[in-house]
Amino acid sequence: MIPYGRQDVTEADIEAVAEVLRSDFLTQGPAVPRFESALAERCGAARGVAVTSATAALHLACMALDLGPGDWLWTSPVTFVASANCARYCGAAVDFVDIDPLTWNLCPVALERKLEQAAREDRLPKVVVPVHLCGLSADMAPIQKLGRRYGFRIIEDASHAIGASYDGEPVGCCRYSDMAVFSFHPVKIVTTGEGGMVLTNDEELADRIARLRSHGITRDPDRMTREPDGPWYYEQTELGFNYRMTDIQAALGLSQAARLGGYVDRRNALAARYDESLASQPLRSQTRSANGRSSFHLYVIRLDLDAVAVTHGDFFMRLRDAGIGVNLHYIPVYRQPYYAAMGFNSADYPEAEGYYAEAVSLPLYPAMDEAKQDRVVACVKAALS
Ligand SMILES: *Cc1c(COP(=O)(O)O)cnc(C)c1O
């Protein structure tokens, strides 16, 4: 089976991890802050705070914005469930904004319409989470404009988009948002096994997230409510978690991140080869923007169902049967039983429904060679005919 994605671990990565294992600190040592600074610098953000996963990063980002009961978080329905679950961890309610028919990202026009209605009903969102699907940045400038008009904060779910750019700047620079979140799960572009990071230019948000990832504890006398009892003293000032990344993970991430540029170049080259070899087929790919670059975490095609004889499900099974590890990213989140029970109606999301009826992710990972990709292309053509 050619998988849809696969990590790339080199001898240098293994050596970097082994070095930590031989050192004094397996966790809370120097590797985590080095990894945080390296990514913040690369992305042009002031601060990075590493945590155990992107799910944890989204949770703490929401907490740092004081999202809670009575509040709303809006996100795209075409995403992994974690983009919405972060609100539920905080006791907030979730709603979804339909996607753009071409970029498949949260649609700024649909967002504006929904905000106008929410303003009338006095249920405006406190936080909006645009998701950079497949590594293509959502159109952040109009979303930020709406954020200023309607008073919501913005967390970018950039789990797919490390190494991408938007409007000439790296995703993660947070020019158009309060925070951006990366995932380092093995199927993502850079891995730490499990891991995530929040990037931000807001020092207070970064400090609060750093405290929340470690039980809500501070050792900074300026933040304490009482005089220290002695040099051992620390204070827990709010309820946090143990969401700390280990130095073992950070060393792997740091070593991997050194190859980020090469990974994204390779993914773009493979994506361009897919574009070319599938150009005459009854399908389409994600519309890219001229002012940015996708990191191509995923290469998704949408079948032109009016022009093909095969059903979406049969097409998918034909490829799986041929040893091609296709996948579907994603089942719209409102369809999940947990969310469906809250009363969402698929008819409110025609673009997400259209996407779900047609989308298939093809294999794409840096170590995939041209011969393997040609096999995928041949199997796609065969499955369509
Ligand atoms: C993978 C992913 C997450 C969760 O990442 P973890 O690091 O596995 O918690 C969140 N959002 C999106 C869009 C993802 O693809």
Side-chain angles (χ1 to χ4, degrees):
M1 184 77 80
I2 302 177
Y4 86 85
R6 192 182 195 290
Q7 74 274 15
D8 173 60
V9 175
T10 64
E11 287 305 314
D13 293 345
I14 294 169
E15 186 44 45
V17 169
E19 214 173 286
V20 172
L21 292 173
R22 290 186 206 103
S23 78
D24 293 334
F25 297 100
L26 301 187
T27 189
Q28 298 181 278
V32 168
R34 275 174 52 210
F35 183 39
E36 291 172 336
S37 310
L39 281 197
E41 191 170 316
R42 189 189 164 100
C43 297
R47 296 279 298 277
V49 185
V51 290
T52 47
S53 66
T55 303
L58 287 164
H59 181 190
L60 297 189
C62 288
M63 277 184 82
L65 294 177
D66 294 316
L67 187 73
D71 294 330
W72 289 88
L73 176 147
W74 291 5
T75 188
S76 167
V78 177
T79 185
F80 186 55
V81 291
S83 314
N85 287 346
C86 53
R88 304 294 304 134
Y89 300 150
C90 297
V94 173
D95 205 349
F96 300 99
V97 181
D98 208 0
I99 59 170
D100 177 276
L102 299 178
T103 67
W104 315 336
N105 280 319
L106 188 147
C107 174
V109 178
L111 176 62
E112 183 163 15
R113 272 201 305 267
K114 200 175 170 78
L115 287 164
E116 284 164 2
Q117 190 182 344
R120 288 194 293 271
E121 295 166 4
D122 197 21
R123 37 166 275 173
L124 283 166
K126 184 166 193 168
V127 175
V128 171
V129 178
V131 181
H132 305 323
L133 189 72
C134 305
L136 176 76
S137 176
D139 196 4
M140 293 303 297
I143 295 174
Q144 183 191 47
K145 233 179 181 173
L146 290 168
R148 291 192 171 143
R149 190 184 321 155
Y150 288 96
F152 60 80
R153 310 292 291 267
I154 300 170
I155 303 169
E156 298 172 68
D157 185 343
S159 293
H160 297 184
I162 191 169
S165 64
Y166 170 79
D167 215 4
E169 288 184 292
V171 168
C173 75
C174 301
R175 172 180 291 272
Y176 299 100
S177 67
D178 295 283
M179 289 173 272
V181 163
F182 291 142
S183 170
F184 309 121
H185 182 276
V187 86
K188 306 288 161 68
I189 294 172
V190 161
T191 190
T192 61
E194 295 277 4
M197 196 180 288
V198 182
L199 286 103
T200 183
N201 294 315
D202 184 322
E203 297 287 342
E204 278 190 32
L205 288 175
D207 287 342
R208 182 145 182 226
I209 289 168
R211 288 194 300 277
L212 286 168
R213 84 172 150 189
S214 206
H215 309 279
I217 282 173
T218 183
R219 290 172 191 281
D220 175 2
D222 291 342
R223 298 204 56 85
M224 291 179 186
T225 59
R226 298 196 307 255
E227 283 303 306
D229 299 340
W232 60 84
Y233 191 73
Y234 58 83
E235 276 187 2
Q236 182 192 342
T237 51
E238 63 181 321
L239 185 63
F241 301 85
N242 181 349
Y243 278 169
R244 290 190 302 265
M245 178 179 278
T246 66
D247 277 49
I248 305 166
Q249 293 167 303
L252 177 57
L254 203 49
S255 181
Q256 290 250 317
R259 299 193 300 279
L260 176 57
Y263 284 154
V264 172
D265 286 348
R266 178 67 186 153
R267 286 174 176 279
N268 271 270
L270 288 167
R273 259 187 117 247
Y274 268 140
D275 285 348
E276 246 170 67
S277 12
L278 295 172
S280 59
Q281 299 300 307
L283 51 82
R284 62 200 166 108
S285 59
Q286 194 176 22
T287 300
R288 270 88 92 180
S289 61
N291 64 347
R293 188 188 193 209
S294 173
S295 57
F296 278 105
H297 163 54
L298 297 172
Y299 190 89
V300 173
I301 55 169
R302 281 179 67 169
L303 303 185
D304 181 354
L305 290 174
D306 293 332
V308 294
V310 68
T311 67
H312 180 238
D314 285 346
F315 174 77
F316 192 97
M317 274 322 296
R318 283 183 191 178
L319 286 168
R320 279 278 176 95
D321 290 344
I324 310 299
V326 286
N327 219 309
L328 206 173
H329 301 92
Y330 292 91
I331 306 163
V333 179
Y334 54 74
R335 281 178 164 253
Q336 298 295 345
Y338 174 77
Y339 285 99
M342 296 170 194
F344 290 105
N345 185 353
S346 299
D348 292 335
Y349 306 99
E351 297 301 337
E353 287 294 296
Y355 175 91
Y356 183 50
E358 300 170 353
V360 176
S361 308
L362 301 183
L364 179 65
Y365 51 93
M368 184 163 89
D369 57 25
E370 279 73 5
K372 278 211 178 73
Q373 188 179 30
D374 291 344
R375 217 185 104 208
V376 176
V377 168
C379 290
V380 167
K381 288 180 178 171
L384 285 170
S385 64

